[in-house]
Amino acid sequence: MKKIISPINSRPDRLPPGQHWTNKLHVLGISDPPDIDLSQYRLRVFGEVEETVVLTWDDIQDLEKVNLIADFHCVTRWSCPDVSWIGFQSLELKKIVNIKSSAKSVMIYSLDGYTTNIPLEYFFDEDVVFAYKLFDSPLPADHGYPLRLVVPKLYSWKSAKHVSGIEFLPEDRPGFWEQRGYHILGDPWKEQRYSV
Ligand SMILES: Nc1nc2c(c(=O)[nH]1)N[C@H]1C(S)=C(S)[C@@H](COP(=O)(O)O)O[C@H]1N2
Ligand SMILES: [Mo]
């Protein structure tokens, strides 16, 4: 299995400004985790693509697996070092869906009603992974079962849990927290916490 260590882990300024280290991944969610039946689970890829693609849980297991090691930076100022995830890279999507050149951004949809937006240049980074394992165990319900996104270079509200949809957008538009005052991008090293 390919191992990816996020380049953020070897930055000289590894801990972003205004953050402190904790040794725990704290649970933060807008609601209780949804009930999931894996046989019914689907991941839908749609929007600015030639054809909508719908993946089953088995389809997802067939994608090339990677192990990502990355620090996790929450906008509420805790940072957890060296979190280990197993899943597939966002770049794998380019092999299974034809993305139109009009696509500029993605909206990620979650089964708890959560959404978040990510510009394509961040979404298709090498260290962006859709994870189904955390430290070698299946994702716990409250950490995003069955599938979650991990975007190490942005604050972790962009790392959507319980992902069920990926919409390619012709222009960036705000998701759940971005509509409620969080920064549209969310770079921790620029302290892009809030939009005002
Ligand atoms: N579906 C969903 N994903 C979500 C959230 C949420 O409320 N719902 N919260 C976000 C926030 S603010 C953070 S800090 C991380 C927390 O991930 P964890 O609970 O696994 O530590 O998940 C992000 N992804
Ligand atoms: Mo967060």
Side-chain angles (χ1 to χ4, degrees), residues 48-60:
E48 299 296 303
V49 296
E50 296 300 341
E51 253 179 46
T52 295
V53 169
V54 179
L55 300 176
T56 65
W57 188 248
D58 286 346
D59 295 334
I60 288 170

Side-chain angles (χ1 to χ4, degrees), residues 25-30 72 74 78 110 112 114 142-143 148 156-157 159-162 177:
L25 209 53
H26 303 271
V27 172
L28 285 174
I30 57 167
F72 195 84
C74 177
W78 56 266
S110 298
D112 58 353
Y114 190 79
D142 50 9
H143 287 299
R148 82 169 301 161
S156 47
W157 86 78
S159 291
K161 303 191 275 191
H162 324 293
W177 283 123

